[in-house]
Amino acid sequence: NSTKNQSSGINAEYGGMNEEEAKNLVFHAIRAGIVNDLGSGSNVDITVIRKGNVEVFRPYQVVCKKSERAGDYTFPVGTTVVTSSTEMVPFSALTVTDEEVMEIS
């Protein structure tokens, strides 16, 4: 019953939208998540489910285009020491060997 009440609340607030308005609402909601979480990717994909068919818009819109890499980000084997794939090293066990304080402007 609570699901039915929630659904009717959604219908009451958003039920009068046409398909383009609904896609725009979904786009803006997903875009907000992408902009606030850099790990989310850069494209908004939308799937519209209608009675009798499904349509996928991929990408519906690109929120932010990935830039070209400015340099070579490959590092020689051994640059990062890996103790094991399961061993957890506590932060307190680490030793600072070099420190640089940078001002953020």
Side-chain angles (χ1 to χ4, degrees), residues 9 12 14-15 23-24 26 31 38 40 45 52-53 65 82 85 105:
Y14 300 109
K23 287 192 293 191
N24 192 44
V26 169
R31 180 185 180 279
L38 299 177
S40 292
D45 301 334
N53 76 328
K65 187 177 178 189
V82 178
S85 61
S105 55

Side-chain angles (χ1 to χ4, degrees), residues 8 37 45 63 71 85:
S8 64
D37 178 12
D45 301 334
V63 174
S85 61

Side-chain angles (χ1 to χ4, degrees), residues 83-84 86-94:
T83 55
S84 79
T86 58
E87 181 182 354
M88 296 294 291
V89 178
F91 187 74
S92 59
L94 301 176

Side-chain angles (χ1 to χ4, degrees), residues 17-52:
M17 288 185 178
N18 64 36
E19 186 174 302
E20 286 306 312
E21 291 169 330
K23 287 192 293 191
N24 192 44
L25 174 69
V26 169
F27 163 72
H28 284 287
I30 295 171
R31 180 185 180 279
I34 289 173
V35 170
N36 289 299
D37 178 12
L38 299 177
S40 292
S42 57
N43 297 340
V44 174
D45 301 334
I46 294 178
T47 301
V48 177
I49 303 169
R50 297 183 199 89
K51 187 175 185 175

